[in-house]
Amino acid sequence: MTRAQSTAVAEKPQRGRIKCVVWDLDNTVWDGTLLEDGDVTVRPAVVAEIKRLDELGVLHSVASRNDHDAAMARLKAAGLDEYFLHPQINWNPKSGSVDRIAKALNIGLDAIAFVDDQPFELEEVAHALPAVKTVDVARLAETLASEEFRPKFVTDESRVRRQLYRAAAERDQVEEEYEGTNEEFLSTLDMTFTIARAQREDLQRAEELTVRTNQLNSTGRTYSYDELDALRTSPDHVLLVASLSDKYGGYGKIGLALAERGDEAWHLRMMLMSCRVMSRGVGTVLLNHIMGLAKAEGAKLRADFVETGRNRVMYVTYAFAGFSEISRDGDRLVLESDLERIQPPPAYLTLEVR
């Protein structure tokens, strides 16, 4: 495979790439300027778009130069406050606010759209954060109708994505206030990590994971529903889905792995984990399970890795699990483990294999 082909494999499709819309407030979410007009009128068309995108699994936040308490009170009165995650309402540059939102949600800047009515604000964000898609509110309807805002599938998990992120924020707050070690905190969560063979009803979410996951993705390749369905039923492949839950609720399906069986060695063609479990200490659980399956059949385990510029964490995960590089072609690597050392699951979680 040429380097150009390799790069093409790693590129993400444009469809559904926007994961979060960040909104200005004055003359954007509502008509008027809150601190000047006092009582402003929320725009029904904007509310309809916020709710429509929320149903599709697109998140929302706020970056507004405003008085925080007054703005949040107006959003609450309109029944909109619950839709906005990590709102940034202050007097700082909006590019800084957008950047903080991306970090809080643990998503890439290229997955964010910023909506404002002021050309200056749009240009300031575009200059400081060129990966962010800037949207003039005057062109809101046509822009939000584009394929970048339309995921291919709307899964059960899509519809509750906002609630999943709110639960994560609650966990993060408890963690921030916890005075013990990180491992001691994780042991208080009563986590259960579940690994199962992929079923047909898992495939829409599985395809979504290949599209949406960047940092903890070994190759960056996307797989279609039909491709995954064929692999699911192939006797030469093992397609696994991982889920996580704790005392605060479920994280949903957060991991996917595809291994190709071989007599001498199994080949791990895909390994990915949702970024929202990055801080939960579960990054190697699915990998170690596959290592155990290969070892049980007397094989080594090789793994594809494609450097995408964003997945360094996954390379470190492989290295931590004992993999070493055996070949390289440009940004495409093959790693291998002799499976002499397989780590057990962390003591702070329960592993269920179905």
Side-chain angles (χ1 to χ4, degrees):
M1 179 177 291
T2 67
R3 188 177 185 85
Q5 290 172 318
S6 171
T7 302
V9 167
E11 288 178 352
K12 292 291 182 180
Q14 292 296 302
R15 181 168 182 177
R17 77 177 180 92
I18 299 299
K19 299 179 183 179
C20 179
V21 180
V22 179
W23 298 85
D24 171 46
L25 295 177
D26 292 336
N27 294 307
T28 300
V29 170
W30 52 58
D31 289 316
T33 303
L34 182 63
L35 294 184
E36 295 177 3
D37 303 328
D39 187 22
V40 293
T41 302
V42 173
R43 295 176 172 176
V46 171
V47 173
E49 290 289 5
I50 289 171
K51 293 182 177 181
R52 179 184 69 83
L53 292 171
D54 180 73
E55 284 289 317
L56 299 179
V58 178
L59 306 174
H60 298 280
S61 190
V62 170
S64 174
R65 293 176 185 270
N66 238 308
D67 178 88
H68 178 275
D69 293 346
M72 288 305 299
R74 186 66 189 91
L75 290 172
K76 185 173 183 179
L80 293 176
D81 58 313
E82 65 184 66
Y83 286 92
F84 298 116
L85 303 172
H86 306 287
Q88 301 294 310
I89 304 174
N90 50 53
W91 301 106
N92 301 323
K94 291 186 179 179
S95 59
S97 293
V98 172
D99 190 48
R100 281 189 291 276
I101 291 164
K103 288 182 170 65
L105 295 174
N106 198 22
I107 60 177
L109 290 167
D110 60 344
I112 287 182
F114 170 65
V115 184
D116 205 301
D117 66 302
Q118 295 292 320
F120 169 82
E121 302 289 7
L122 293 168
E123 290 173 12
E124 190 272 329
V125 170
H127 175 75
L129 307 172
V132 171
K133 181 179 182 66
T134 53
V135 180
D136 187 331
V137 72
R139 301 182 59 190
L140 183 67
E142 63 181 283
T143 304
L144 296 189
S146 70
E147 68 172 10
E148 292 173 290
F149 296 83
R150 294 202 313 269
K152 184 175 182 180
F153 292 120
V154 180
T155 64
D156 290 341
E157 187 159 322
S158 303
R159 297 185 180 92
V160 297
R161 182 163 289 124
R162 170 165 50 94
Q163 288 86 340
L164 293 175
Y165 272 85
R166 285 207 172 279
E170 182 179 356
R171 293 182 187 99
D172 291 343
Q173 181 64 34
V174 173
E175 182 177 10
E176 187 175 330
E177 297 171 356
Y178 190 80
E179 296 184 352
T181 66
N182 182 60
E183 188 162 328
E184 288 170 341
F185 168 73
L186 293 175
S187 69
T188 71
L189 294 179
D190 300 328
M191 290 188 290
T192 298
F193 192 99
T194 303
I195 300 172
R197 291 293 184 100
Q199 305 299 310
R200 180 169 281 111
E201 57 267 25
D202 297 322
L203 297 185
Q204 288 187 355
R205 171 56 178 162
E207 179 179 353
E208 184 182 46
L209 275 170
T210 72
V211 172
R212 292 174 63 92
T213 306
N214 294 293
Q215 296 180 62
L216 296 176
N217 189 329
S218 61
T219 66
R221 178 182 169 180
T222 61
Y223 286 80
S224 70
Y225 181 98
D226 291 336
E227 287 176 311
L228 291 168
D229 196 30
L231 291 165
R232 178 183 67 85
T233 57
S234 166
D236 298 323
H237 294 84
V238 176
L239 183 63
L240 300 176
V241 176
S243 305
L244 185 67
S245 64
D246 65 19
K247 67 182 182 181
Y248 293 98
Y251 295 72
K253 295 180 178 68
I254 48 81
L256 191 65
L258 172 66
E260 182 178 344
R261 283 191 170 100
D263 294 332
E264 177 192 356
W266 283 29
H267 207 123
L268 194 51
R269 299 297 184 184
M270 171 181 58
M271 167 68 65
L272 60 86
M273 297 286 289
S274 171
C275 298
R276 66 171 179 256
V277 299
M278 188 180 292
S279 64
R280 291 296 169 255
V282 299
T284 61
V285 177
L286 180 57
L287 176 58
N288 285 319
H289 177 71
I290 295 173
M291 292 169 70
L293 294 179
K295 185 174 184 177
E297 294 198 4
K300 296 179 181 179
L301 183 60
R302 295 175 184 146
D304 289 336
F305 182 81
V306 179
E307 296 171 339
T308 66
R310 299 180 62 180
N311 62 352
R312 177 68 182 174
V313 174
M314 183 56 79
Y315 182 87
V316 173
T317 298
Y318 277 128
F320 184 72
F323 283 76
S324 57
E325 183 178 326
I326 61 169
S327 69
R328 174 186 285 266
D329 179 10
D331 55 9
R332 296 184 58 87
L333 289 70
V334 176
L335 311 173
E336 184 177 276
S337 170
D338 59 12
L339 307 179
E340 289 298 314
R341 178 174 60 91
I342 302 178
Q343 302 159 21
Y348 47 73
L349 64 76
T350 299
L351 175 61
E352 291 185 357
V353 178
R354 298 176 182 172

